[in-house]
Amino acid sequence: MTTIFDSRDPRYKTPYGAVPCGRRITLTLRPDLTEDFTACSLLLFEEFAEAYWEVALSPAGEEEGRKLFTGSYDTPDQPELIWYGFRLRRENGEELWLGKNGLGPEKDMARWQQTVYDATLPTPDWFGRGMTYQIFPDRFRRTAVPDPAGMPGDRVVHQSWDEGMEYLPDDRGEIRNRDFFGGSLAGVEEKLDYLKSLGVTTLYFCPIFEADSNHRYNTGDYEKIDPMLGTEEDFRRLCAQAHARGLRVMLDGVFNHTGSNSRYFNADGAYPDLGAAQSMESPYYPWYAFFHWPERYDAWWGIKTLPAVNETHPTFVDYIIQGENSIIRRWLRAGADAWRLDVADELPDEFIAQIRTVMMEEKPDSFLLGEVWEDGSNKIAYDQRRRYLLGRETHGLMNYPFRVAALDYLRGGRAEDFREAMETIRENYPRPAFYSAMNLLGTHDTPRILTLLGASEPLEDRTARAHYRMTAEERERGLLLLRAGAVLLFAFPGSPTVYYGDEAGMEGFEDPFNRGTYPWGGEDQALINHFALLGKLRSDRLSLQVGSLHWLWAEGPVLAFSREEGVETTAVILNVGEAEAQVSIPWRTHLAIDVLSGQQFATVHGMLTVRVLGMDGMILI
């Protein structure tokens, strides 16, 4: 059957994708004349307003053996998710419903999504245009072996930077993450020129506030830099030095929970403040939900060391967001340029919206990113549809859907599936959010990308995974695919984000094996040079920063797309299969140069034909 409606084709729907509030949308159905449809209507449901409505589509003539029905509607003046489908009637009175899954009975109709967002609040474009580098602070760079005396928690410091990390439960059966390597803010400052040479424009830090674990996601004191990392003065100096080099700084805000040994909960009494676990008279007591005080309480995913916080309590909101010296405000004033919200899907929408409002007041050009692992435009969390991307909350999200689709493709999947997954995101996300996504191949929460691409089989035994190193053949294959994956990462709309050490060839399975120390002096220099070249291309070519996206080829292992801005075009061709592939794409100049190899190709009648080796790629300019 011929296509009746395609939401991504301007012949059927304009404008494309998500639209601002109050925008008129025109839709056209194009059924085959032989279908004998005589009447059509558009069925719409506004989710947040819980409103159903119907728009009749008018006959609009015939074209190429098809009968056209067209109509328009105006989107609401408030942000909304609209779900829509169509009802079609034949001459004999038979009715059918058209959804994403085709024609059928009404009960089977899968509706299309129309995102309607508030476009009045601007999204800073600096984040999406540039490259982000994620740092796990304890493991990036140290300037000296620290002395843990007087620091929170019973910390153990590795004397050698190259030692293996602790990963087995202690004598109480707990994995406490109390072994430290001593990475510091001064160490990061020492390597700012290296980061600049990679093309980095944003430094994203995993938590840097005082906590008794090496990951620091169990915040002890939001007002203090962890003493092993340095001081507030060290942080201010690092920000100043980063800004002088054109780099911005993003902090990790962990506001859904605190540590049980924090100054706010204070289960072990380490802080002088009267914590919620010590007294119901504590000013922090209302922040937590106790089932039976003090030993039973709500905790993040049931982890007792991470008591969950009531983000709607006025004193917590004032402390984190609204107060004159709130946590959000004070660290922006100290030099931060952005916040990343940990587990954003567990934070109330109003809480996130208030953070954005305060950030705009304090530093209008600051950026707010959310950790969401799925399509954030229609995410349901705790039985509620979320509003992250409707223009009043986050500017952008971590693009885990990109990672999933890219990994599937790189590990033998179909280019068609990658294109479809990314078109779904592009269609559902407001354009500013799509171009401000944090695109990634790996983070502190995922195995190392090189290991995923090169290791033959996952290992069941944790100790075996701790000591596993790829064979020469596995590593060679992994490196080839990683180089191709990096090309995809840096060429796609959104901020290409590199997890520290991925550019140096680090290996490792899941946490904590993905959190090893950066191999200073043992880097894969050829891989670093590849990433640096991609970073330079990203910074030099406007088309890679803000250019429109055009799919040129997606078939089996071969993927090609271009980015265009004005007269500048950059095209990428990837072949992740074993065999060489030939590809022909349109090209509007007489010559194309592959930046990666230096090869030059001539066009013939507006077409460019190239042969791409297996597990290789090209960037054509």
Side-chain angles (χ1 to χ4, degrees):
M1 187 180 68
T2 57
T3 301
I4 299 177
F5 179 75
D6 183 349
S7 63
R8 299 169 185 168
D9 188 328
R11 294 176 299 171
Y12 299 85
K13 176 181 179 288
T14 57
Y16 171 90
V19 299
C21 298
R23 182 67 58 88
R24 174 159 294 184
I25 295 177
T26 299
L27 303 104
T28 300
L29 296 188
R30 301 163 56 87
D32 195 290
L33 284 170
T34 60
E35 292 284 353
D36 196 30
F37 291 121
T38 59
C40 301
S41 59
L42 169 66
L43 309 174
L44 304 111
F45 170 61
E46 295 182 22
E47 175 150 350
F48 299 120
E50 298 185 348
Y52 288 91
W53 40 304
E54 185 171 347
V55 176
L57 302 183
S58 303
E62 298 176 4
E63 181 181 279
E64 299 176 345
R66 298 168 181 241
K67 189 170 184 177
L68 276 57
F69 297 87
T70 190
S72 301
Y73 72 96
D74 294 327
T75 59
D77 59 4
Q78 292 297 317
E80 185 62 89
L81 277 188
I82 297 176
W83 303 95
Y84 67 95
F86 302 91
R87 180 170 57 198
L88 299 91
R89 183 180 292 110
R90 288 195 167 110
E91 183 77 36
N92 62 8
E94 179 188 10
E95 289 188 335
L96 290 173
W97 280 260
L98 176 66
K100 296 178 69 173
N101 54 342
L103 283 168
E106 182 178 16
K107 66 180 178 64
D108 295 334
M109 180 174 62
R111 296 174 183 257
W112 283 271
Q113 174 182 325
Q114 178 61 59
T115 305
V116 180
Y117 64 98
D118 184 350
T120 61
L121 302 178
T123 293
D125 71 349
W126 57 263
F127 178 76
R129 293 177 69 147
M131 170 191 173
T132 302
Y133 192 86
Q134 181 186 0
I135 292 177
F136 192 81
D138 185 58
R139 310 288 162 81
F140 180 66
R141 176 72 172 178
R142 73 180 180 190
T143 57
V145 179
D147 180 359
M151 296 183 184
D154 50 343
R155 306 185 183 201
V156 174
V157 175
H158 293 269
Q159 298 302 299
S160 170
W161 185 249
D162 300 322
E163 289 176 17
M165 65 207 79
E166 294 182 6
Y167 63 92
L168 294 174
D170 60 17
D171 53 9
R172 294 188 296 181
E174 298 178 357
I175 298 176
R176 304 176 70 198
N177 298 295
R178 298 294 177 85
D179 64 318
F180 290 76
F181 284 85
S184 65
L185 298 181
V188 177
E189 183 180 344
E190 187 178 273
K191 291 298 180 179
L192 284 177
D193 288 336
Y194 164 70
L195 297 171
K196 177 70 174 177
S197 74
L198 291 176
V200 175
T201 56
T202 301
L203 295 178
Y204 157 40
F205 285 94
C206 290
I208 62 173
F209 303 122
E210 184 172 271
D212 60 9
S213 70
N214 54 44
H215 56 71
R216 300 184 176 95
Y217 280 94
N218 57 331
T219 310
D221 190 340
Y222 293 107
E223 298 179 35
K224 293 181 180 178
I225 302 296
D226 190 88
M228 195 168 283
L229 293 176
T231 64
E232 181 171 336
E233 182 55 37
D234 293 326
F235 176 75
R236 289 176 177 270
R237 186 178 64 250
L238 171 62
C239 290
Q241 290 296 318
H243 294 159
R245 291 166 173 82
L247 280 65
R248 289 179 166 91
V249 174
M250 174 182 287
L251 294 181
D252 213 333
V254 186
F255 303 133
N256 165 263
H257 51 269
T258 67
S260 58
N261 294 331
S262 65
R263 61 179 281 201
Y264 318 103
F265 200 81
N266 212 7
D268 64 356
Y271 287 90
D273 301 53
L274 196 62
Q278 296 169 301
S279 171
M280 294 183 184
E281 302 302 316
S282 167
Y284 309 118
Y285 178 81
W287 292 9
Y288 303 94
F290 288 93
F291 308 129
H292 186 278
W293 183 86
E295 70 276 3
R296 292 180 53 228
Y297 47 86
D298 185 24
W300 184 73
W301 285 51
I303 301 172
K304 301 296 287 183
T305 56
L306 301 176
V309 172
N310 175 10
E311 301 97 341
T312 64
H313 195 276
T315 60
F316 184 75
V317 173
D318 187 69
Y319 179 71
I320 297 294
I321 308 172
Q322 295 290 359
E324 175 57 30
N325 295 304
S326 70
I327 299 304
I328 294 295
R329 295 183 193 274
R330 67 170 291 165
W331 294 108
L332 289 176
R333 293 170 187 164
D337 306 282
W339 282 97
R340 177 257 193 191
L341 298 180
D342 185 56
V343 294
D345 51 2
E346 304 195 34
L347 298 172
D349 284 299
E350 179 58 27
F351 186 84
I352 299 174
Q354 289 185 71
I355 290 177
R356 175 160 172 168
T357 298
V358 164
M359 288 176 67
M360 290 176 62
E361 293 173 359
E362 197 65 44
K363 186 176 284 192
D365 200 32
S366 58
F367 187 87
L368 182 61
L369 182 85
E371 180 199 12
V372 177
W373 286 59
E374 302 83 10
D375 180 338
S377 71
N378 53 37
K379 173 73 182 284
I380 295 176
Y382 299 94
D383 299 321
Q384 289 190 347
R385 186 79 72 179
R386 303 309 303 271
R387 308 183 188 221
Y388 316 113
L389 297 181
L390 296 186
R392 298 175 183 175
E393 296 185 23
T394 59
H395 293 111
L397 301 176
M398 299 181 77
N399 199 353
Y400 277 101
F402 172 88
R403 175 184 179 270
V404 171
L407 268 176
D408 286 346
Y409 168 60
L410 292 167
R411 295 195 291 186
R414 304 187 320 146
E416 299 95 320
D417 295 334
F418 176 83
R419 178 184 61 187
E420 174 59 26
M422 291 302 94
E423 270 305 288
T424 298
I425 295 295
R426 180 161 72 139
E427 186 176 17
N428 288 350
Y429 280 28
R431 191 179 191 280
F434 182 71
Y435 278 78
S436 295
M438 176 185 270
N439 297 339
L440 46 92
L441 294 174
T443 71
H444 66 293
D445 286 325
T446 67
R448 286 281 175 179
I449 181 63
L450 183 58
T451 297
L452 289 176
L453 294 177
S456 300
E457 297 180 8
L459 302 174
E460 297 296 329
D461 182 75
R462 188 169 172 82
T463 296
R465 294 199 303 276
H467 298 287
Y468 181 82
R469 293 296 179 270
M470 286 187 285
T471 65
E473 292 77 15
E474 288 176 330
R475 188 171 175 89
E476 181 181 2
R477 177 182 176 83
L479 287 169
L480 286 172
L481 291 174
L482 177 52
R483 289 169 66 91
V487 170
L488 177 60
L489 178 69
F490 276 77
F492 208 74
S495 178
T497 301
V498 175
Y499 182 45
Y500 81 101
D502 279 349
E503 83 284 8
M506 287 182 67
E507 302 179 24
F509 287 101
E510 81 286 358
D511 166 23
F513 314 125
N514 58 351
R515 303 175 182 180
T517 54
Y518 189 100
W520 299 109
E523 307 96 322
D524 184 324
Q525 194 58 53
L527 188 60
I528 286 179
N529 293 342
H530 180 67
F531 273 85
L533 173 59
L534 296 177
K536 186 174 190 308
L537 280 172
R538 183 79 184 202
S539 64
D540 288 349
R541 296 190 67 77
L542 193 61
S543 56
L544 291 182
Q545 298 173 27
V546 298
S548 56
L549 171 66
H550 303 275
W551 302 103
L552 304 176
W553 191 291
E555 187 174 321
V558 179
L559 176 70
F561 61 90
S562 67
R563 303 286 307 280
E564 299 180 13
E565 178 65 18
V567 298
E568 182 184 285
T569 297
T570 306
V572 165
I573 305 177
L574 295 173
N575 174 19
V576 299
E578 301 280 352
E580 183 180 276
Q582 180 171 296
V583 180
S584 295
I585 61 173
W587 198 256
R588 61 188 179 190
T589 61
H590 297 299
L591 191 69
I593 302 171
D594 175 22
V595 179
L596 299 180
S597 68
Q599 288 180 285
Q600 298 187 9
F601 305 93
T603 56
V604 178
H605 304 303
M607 295 297 293
L608 185 67
T609 300
V610 298
R611 300 192 69 82
V612 188
L613 297 176
M615 291 189 284
D616 202 358
M618 294 180 174
I619 302 177
L620 301 171
I621 62 173

